[in-house]
Amino acid sequence: MLNRFLFSKIDNSPLIIFRIFFGILISLECYGAILTGWVKRTLVEPQFTFNFIGFDWLQPLPGYGMYIYFFIMGTLGVMVALGYKYRFSIISFTLLWTGVYLMQKTSYNNHYYLLVLISLIMCFLPAHRSHSFDLRSNPGLKSDSMFAYVKWAIVLQLLIVYTYASIAKLYGDWLDFGIIRILMLNKANYPIIGGLLQEPFIHKIMGFYGILFDLLVVPALLWKPTRKIAFIASVFFHLFNSIVFQIGIFPYLSLVFTVFFFEPETIRRIFFKKKPPYLLQKIEVPSFRNTVYILGGLYFLVQLALPIRHHFIKDDVLWTEEGHRLSWRMMLRSRSGSIKFQVVDKENGEKTTINTKDYLTKKQQRRIGGYPDFIWQFAQRLKKEYAEKGKDIAVYALNSKVSVNGKPYRAFIDPTVDLASAKWNYFGHNEWILPSPTAEKAPKTF
């Protein structure tokens, strides 16, 4: 049964057209990051970036290096779309994009993580065996079919993303539409729709639609009687997100994913009219079957586990942020914070108050007060700077306060803990984060 499900041969038209659109979109994302100034603001202007902890060595290239870096990624995207040196192109892009993702999190976005995962999956898929330049140099690559597991790998990844995103919304600030109201406040100046986005009834529609869409869209696309309705709902949902939230290529990438839900023959008729239909319905169990089972099983176990890890970490993820990333907790909170860093010379007791404006860009300053990993990393940065001057220091976070989803500011970081000496707990709770106001009386949110 499992062999039939995974190793049946089907028309590869969905994979081929996905490769083409995927390559175009990632090239637009990379070239656009240069043209819109994103690279400059995020990677060039900062003195240093807040990388994922453990990847301190992964820092932006100096000078014009990051512009060249993104230009290369954009060009690799074009090569992916054309199917030119496909394996080299997609593997290189995956490595470079993952590098960008890990070297900075000031502009964190769940979609950047999704692009890492999809690029990784594409490294293993035979997406260059039709309508590609690779066929000119190696005609033997040509094939009009693919194993069914190619389709199901993408579908399962999307099912995980959407399902966890839906479940994560089942908490108080989403269900009373408070977080939606906050997210819409800075959209008031949008032409035509700005005023409408401030209306409570619109917040209710968005709240219920967001939960139901995320929960049902993948099953509805899989079931033929509801497929067209689900596709129309997808178009509306993702175009709305593109217009309102302006999140780059990702609404359009999400629409491109739908090619895997329609019948392969339908995709062939729409996009590849001259391509001969693949009519054989047969099962071919490949020699690498066990590799598919092992690698696929391990990969998806990790994908299932990461979004629930915060349940095993003390306190509420909305407060501590521990376990938030890599878990499809999208548009669930708005954070703001204030903090004062004090450096104490351990030798003579001299105290110095740090002006964060001397170190951070405006965007980094907006982040530093509200996120514990940013606070800890900045303390480590100060420790390193002073060590280079021959000084051994302690770093304290004074008057640290955070507001989550518009609620009153509460004390956030223990002011008695030397953050320069504190170790970062990768898999558990960092005790120098003070308890959330509701830690004892409220259940943990998913």
Side-chain angles (χ1 to χ4, degrees), residues 23-24 26-34 39 61 64-81 84-85 88-97 100:
I24 293 171
I26 61 178
S27 66
L28 291 175
E29 177 72 13
C30 296
Y31 292 146
I34 299 173
V39 173
L61 300 173
Y64 293 99
M66 292 313 298
Y67 296 113
I68 298 172
Y69 189 107
F70 269 76
F71 181 81
I72 291 173
M73 284 201 297
T75 304
L76 289 170
V78 174
M79 292 169 64
V80 168
Y84 178 70
K85 298 189 181 299
F88 168 81
S89 302
I90 189 62
I91 292 172
S92 299
F93 175 82
T94 302
L95 292 173
L96 291 175
W97 182 263
V100 171

Side-chain angles (χ1 to χ4, degrees), residues 25 36 75 117 121 126 164 169 171 207 247 283 330 364 387 408 414:
L25 288 172
T36 60
T75 304
L117 299 180
I121 292 174
Y164 276 124
K169 292 180 175 66
Y171 85 107
I247 47 178
I283 301 171
M330 294 179 274
Q364 288 175 326
D414 187 341

Side-chain angles (χ1 to χ4, degrees), residues 166-185:
S166 177
I167 295 172
K169 292 180 175 66
L170 300 177
Y171 85 107
D173 289 349
W174 185 278
L175 295 176
D176 68 7
F177 316 112
I179 182 58
I180 302 175
R181 178 185 63 80
I182 292 172
L183 293 175
M184 293 301 107
L185 286 177

Side-chain angles (χ1 to χ4, degrees), residues 2-3 51 67 73 84 87 111 117 146-147 175 204 223 245 283 291 303 344 352 394 407 410 413:
L2 192 57
N3 284 343
N51 53 270
Y67 296 113
M73 284 201 297
Y84 178 70
R87 293 294 182 197
H111 296 120
L117 299 180
M146 65 182 182
F147 287 111
L175 295 176
K204 293 179 180 179
W223 194 36
F245 296 107
I283 301 171
T291 302
Q303 287 301 303
V344 178
T352 305
K407 293 180 173 60
R410 304 286 187 181
I413 303 297

Side-chain angles (χ1 to χ4, degrees), residues 76-337:
L76 289 170
V78 174
M79 292 169 64
V80 168
L82 296 175
Y84 178 70
K85 298 189 181 299
Y86 172 74
R87 293 294 182 197
F88 168 81
S89 302
I90 189 62
I91 292 172
S92 299
F93 175 82
T94 302
L95 292 173
L96 291 175
W97 182 263
T98 303
V100 171
Y101 177 74
L102 294 174
M103 76 171 59
Q104 73 82 31
K105 57 193 175 190
T106 302
S107 294
Y108 180 83
N109 191 315
N110 277 284
H111 296 120
Y112 298 158
Y113 172 48
L114 178 60
L115 189 49
V116 170
L117 299 180
I118 296 301
S119 299
L120 177 62
I121 292 174
M122 288 292 287
C123 290
F124 296 93
L125 303 185
H128 59 315
R129 296 202 165 189
S130 182
H131 295 77
S132 75
F133 276 76
D134 283 352
L135 295 181
R136 296 188 176 186
S137 57
N138 187 1
L141 284 174
K142 183 171 177 55
S143 175
D144 293 320
S145 66
M146 65 182 182
F147 287 111
Y149 72 74
V150 171
K151 166 185 175 177
W152 293 115
I154 300 294
V155 170
L156 182 54
Q157 180 66 75
L158 295 178
L159 180 63
I160 290 171
V161 172
Y162 281 113
T163 302
Y164 276 124
S166 177
I167 295 172
K169 292 180 175 66
L170 300 177
Y171 85 107
D173 289 349
W174 185 278
L175 295 176
D176 68 7
F177 316 112
I179 182 58
I180 302 175
R181 178 185 63 80
I182 292 172
L183 293 175
M184 293 301 107
L185 286 177
N186 65 351
K187 319 294 182 189
N189 61 346
Y190 280 16
I192 303 175
I193 64 171
L196 189 62
L197 293 175
Q198 311 309 310
E199 294 293 334
F201 80 93
I202 293 294
H203 302 162
K204 293 179 180 179
I205 293 173
M206 291 174 63
F208 287 122
Y209 191 84
I211 293 172
L212 293 175
F213 177 85
D214 287 346
L215 185 64
L216 300 176
V217 64
V218 171
L221 283 169
L222 286 172
W223 194 36
K224 191 172 182 178
T226 57
R227 185 173 295 148
K228 290 183 179 179
I229 296 174
F231 178 72
I232 293 171
S234 296
V235 171
F236 174 81
F237 180 82
H238 293 300
L239 290 182
F240 178 86
N241 282 342
S242 178
I243 294 169
V244 174
F245 296 107
Q246 300 178 7
I247 47 178
I249 68 166
F250 298 101
Y252 306 98
L253 178 60
S254 298
L255 288 175
V256 173
F257 282 128
T258 59
V259 299
F260 288 103
F261 293 90
F262 287 88
E263 298 298 331
E265 293 75 15
T266 301
I267 301 302
R268 178 186 58 78
R269 287 196 299 270
I270 294 173
F271 294 103
F272 304 117
K273 289 183 171 59
K274 295 182 179 180
K275 182 184 177 186
Y278 181 77
L279 301 176
L280 297 177
Q281 297 293 326
K282 59 180 180 178
I283 301 171
E284 290 184 10
V285 180
S287 59
F288 53 84
R289 175 187 63 178
N290 290 337
T291 302
V292 173
Y293 286 151
I294 294 171
L295 292 183
L298 290 174
Y299 173 83
F300 284 110
L301 280 175
V302 171
Q303 287 301 303
L304 289 169
L306 283 176
I308 62 173
R309 70 191 188 282
H310 68 83
H311 283 292
F312 303 93
I313 301 175
K314 181 180 176 181
D315 213 336
D316 189 344
V317 61
L318 281 171
W319 175 255
T320 68
E321 287 286 306
E322 295 166 320
H324 173 86
R325 295 189 182 95
L326 317 183
S327 61
W328 312 119
R329 300 178 55 78
M330 294 179 274
M331 298 183 183
L332 296 181
R333 86 288 192 242
S334 173
R335 298 176 70 90
S336 59

